[in-house]
Amino acid sequence: DAGVIQSPRHEVTEMGQEVTLRCKPISGHNSLFWYRQTMMRGLELLIYFNNNVPIDDSGMPEDRFSAKMPNASFSTLKIQPSEPRDSAVYFCASSAREYEQYFGPGTRLTVT
Amino acid sequence: KQEVTQIPAALSVPEGENLVLNCSFTDSAIYNLQWFRQDPGKGLTSLLLIQSSQREQTSGRLNASLDKSSGRSTLYIAASQPGDSATYLCAGFWVTGFQKLVFGTGTRLLVSP
């Protein structure tokens, strides 16, 4: 198995632009997690899907952030409009059990 | 609210030294605790998972302990090597309240040859 796949690996965009991050979970895993990692705040859970349904989105910082999981093999995290404070590394993780999560390599987002 | 703390934020040791990384958590009703390794520019890799019914887990040169009553976990690395240089994060999981991993901010370890 290729593990969790994220794209792009790096994204540089200007403030105000729309950003879409993509994730392909490990086949057979029924839970998917989006995290954000910054030096100041560490690793924060943004949203958690189970069987393609959002279960907990309390970590989504504001309405500019949205996430979808149209099927078991694909999820997106969208930021519109993006702001410099959104610069971070965004990780996707998948699991068959909530606490046993496998992480992707991350997308490093820079908003100028 | 469940919180996880790691101290120190960074640690530098010479090769061959035994070392201990510390993790503390606020809610003793923890379900399990994991230690992860993160290399620069990479995702997290799970190293050890300790269930609440266990006191410790071992994998090679790594040994992790869990003391629920004191709210502490330690990761012991024996005979450290330069390849152990990475950031180590601990994460707690509780089944009450929000069922999600709660991460510490990590300890950045540098092992010098």
Side-chain angles (χ1 to χ4, degrees), chain B residues 58-63 78:
Chain B
T58 298
S59 176
R61 294 182 293 107
L62 305 180
N63 176 275

Side-chain angles (χ1 to χ4, degrees), chain A residues 9 35 37 39-43 45 48 56 58 91 98-106 108, chain B residues 31-32 34 36 38 41-46 49 51 89 93 98-101 103-105 108:
Chain A
R9 292 295 312 278
Y35 290 90
Q37 187 177 41
M39 288 292 292
M40 290 294 294
R41 300 172 67 92
L43 200 61
L45 177 67
Y48 153 42
D56 180 2
S58 59
F91 288 103
E98 282 81 356
Y99 56 81
E100 208 161 349
Q101 298 178 22
Y102 294 80
F103 282 74
R108 182 173 296 277
Chain B
Y31 186 75
N32 62 49
Q34 287 186 79
F36 290 84
Q38 184 176 24
K42 301 287 181 64
L44 280 68
T45 301
S46 182
L49 184 151
Q51 299 289 0
L89 296 97
F93 186 84
F98 294 112
Q99 295 189 25
K100 61 185 181 183
L101 284 174
F103 284 87
T105 50
R108 191 169 63 255

Side-chain angles (χ1 to χ4, degrees), chain A residues 32-36 41 44-49 53-63 65-67 77, chain B residues 1-2 97-102:
Chain A
L32 184 139
F33 308 81
W34 282 100
Y35 290 90
R36 177 173 66 178
R41 300 172 67 92
E44 303 173 283
L45 177 67
L46 300 177
I47 187 167
Y48 153 42
F49 291 87
V53 176
I55 302 300
D56 180 2
D57 65 355
S58 59
M60 296 287 264
E62 48 199 276
D63 292 345
F65 285 69
S66 63
L77 178 67
Chain B
K1 180 183 177 184
Q2 292 106 356
F98 294 112
Q99 295 189 25
K100 61 185 181 183
L101 284 174
V102 179

Side-chain angles (χ1 to χ4, degrees), chain B residues 3-20:
Chain B
E3 295 181 350
V4 177
T5 306
Q6 291 184 251
I7 295 174
L11 181 64
S12 182
V13 301
E15 181 178 7
E17 206 166 277
N18 301 326
L19 60 99
V20 174

